[in-house]
Amino acid sequence: MTPDLEAVEVLLAVDELGSIGRAAERLAITQPAASARLRSMEARWGLTLVERSARGSHLTSDGRAVAGWAASVMDQVTAMNAGLQALRRDHDRDVRIAASLTIAGFLMPAWLGALRGQRPDASPQLAVVNSAEVIERLRSGTADVGFIETTDLPEDLATRRVGTDTLAVVVAPGHQWATRDSPVTDAELAAEPLVLREPGSGTRRTFDAALARMPVVALEAGSTASLIGAAQAGIGPAVVSARAVRGHLDRGELVEVETDLDLRRPLTVLWSWDRRLSVTAEVLLLIATGKT
């Protein structure tokens, strides 16, 4: 049998203060509750630990023996509680984020700024990886929350939409598609060597699903900047987030090509059902979903 620590607290307070009423006041409970805890402990162990009288209460010889043992135990409990609270505070400051390229580059900075405003002691860690790697990090427990840019959502993770993005097919001003009046067809896109993200990225998954056939690849790259540079150099049409090329389009460095594909994609936050989120992670979720 394990002693009831709440009853032990009452016993020690009675020993120090000489009154069940004053012991109850110190512990912020009612006197009947304090008396009930002592009676329960005495009944459980078959001992009389406290002598009660109109002049006050004092411990019996058995009660003093128990109190002597209990003092060191309660010191250890107090130390353990302090350690647990410190661990929880550290955990609640932390959040390990895995985000795919577009979200990390164009949305995450504002979200992290808002997070800093609400939780100045937050300690976020951001890893920029493709959507497939985001999912793997969540499954392995090396990320707390993840953000991806694909319609292919895992069923074993919790998900919530945080926005929508659209891909753009862009070419250099000198490309033959730059001045055409009609949309480029899926057959033309499938036949043209393209500049694309690597398999596993949200951009590539969205484009492959929309095209519904294997594209011809002129270049695969893991960064948006590389895709944009390749398109500007005339290597081929690039498929990138429209957010990423807005400035290049405005300056005339690239031209967006109209297509007959649906290149919209959801932006989604994910986390594991099985792991408790820190307070910082929960605040970040609310910020990303527009609920704070």
Side-chain angles (χ1 to χ4, degrees):
M1 292 187 292
T2 302
D4 180 350
L5 295 183
E6 291 184 333
V8 170
E9 279 188 311
V10 177
L11 185 71
L12 291 173
V14 171
D15 187 32
E16 179 182 348
L17 301 172
S19 164
I20 294 177
R22 287 197 291 272
E25 184 177 351
R26 169 177 288 183
L27 298 173
I29 59 176
T30 64
Q31 182 170 338
S35 295
R37 289 180 185 179
L38 288 173
R39 285 195 299 271
S40 175
M41 184 175 180
E42 290 174 324
R44 183 178 187 187
W45 294 96
L47 298 170
T48 299
L49 303 176
V50 179
E51 291 285 357
R52 302 158 177 83
S53 70
R55 291 175 297 176
S57 301
H58 65 273
L59 303 193
T60 65
S61 58
D62 289 341
R64 286 193 297 274
V66 173
W69 302 326
S72 61
V73 172
M74 295 308 296
D75 286 343
Q76 292 298 316
V77 170
T78 299
M80 184 178 73
N81 281 336
L84 288 169
Q85 291 292 339
L87 288 174
R88 180 171 180 176
R89 284 194 299 271
D90 289 344
H91 174 69
D92 281 339
R93 283 198 298 266
D94 295 340
V95 57
R96 298 168 301 171
I97 309 162
S100 50
L101 204 60
T102 299
I103 293 178
F106 296 95
L107 297 174
M108 190 60 65
W111 293 343
L112 292 180
L115 178 66
R116 177 68 63 181
Q118 294 191 38
R119 292 188 61 80
D121 62 340
S123 300
Q125 303 167 33
L126 175 62
V128 183
V129 293
N130 67 32
S131 292
E133 178 66 17
V134 169
I135 293 169
E136 286 308 308
R137 289 188 178 219
L138 289 169
R139 286 173 174 160
S140 67
T142 56
D144 302 311
V145 293
F147 295 86
I148 61 174
E149 309 150 358
T150 176
T151 56
D152 187 12
L153 301 180
E155 296 182 357
D156 59 322
L157 296 172
T159 63
R160 189 177 300 165
R161 182 174 290 199
V162 298
T164 304
D165 186 42
T166 302
L167 299 181
V169 177
V170 296
V171 297
H175 192 277
Q176 59 181 346
W177 288 352
T179 56
R180 68 180 286 163
D181 297 326
S182 60
V184 174
T185 67
D186 57 348
E188 289 175 301
L189 281 168
E192 183 77 7
L194 302 175
V195 176
L196 300 171
R197 284 287 306 279
E198 77 285 1
S201 70
T203 298
R204 182 64 177 271
R205 288 183 177 187
T206 300
F207 180 72
D208 286 353
L211 188 62
R213 67 188 77 183
M214 288 293 293
V216 178
V217 178
L219 173 70
E220 284 181 353
S223 76
T224 301
S226 297
L227 301 183
I228 292 172
Q232 289 177 307
I235 293 175
V239 180
V240 295
S241 168
R243 299 171 189 263
V245 290
R246 196 166 294 153
H248 299 276
L249 297 174
D250 291 343
R251 293 189 295 270
E253 298 166 354
L254 290 170
V255 176
E256 182 174 1
V257 177
E258 186 180 356
T259 75
D260 57 6
L261 300 183
D262 182 1
L263 295 177
R264 293 171 297 177
R265 58 180 178 172
L267 306 179
T268 306
V269 60
L270 309 91
W271 66 98
S272 173
W273 292 109
D274 301 329
R275 298 185 187 92
R276 175 189 174 272
L277 289 178
S278 68
V279 173
T280 298
E282 291 176 346
V283 172
L284 179 61
L285 284 181
L286 293 174
I287 291 169
T289 53
K291 295 182 179 179
T292 184

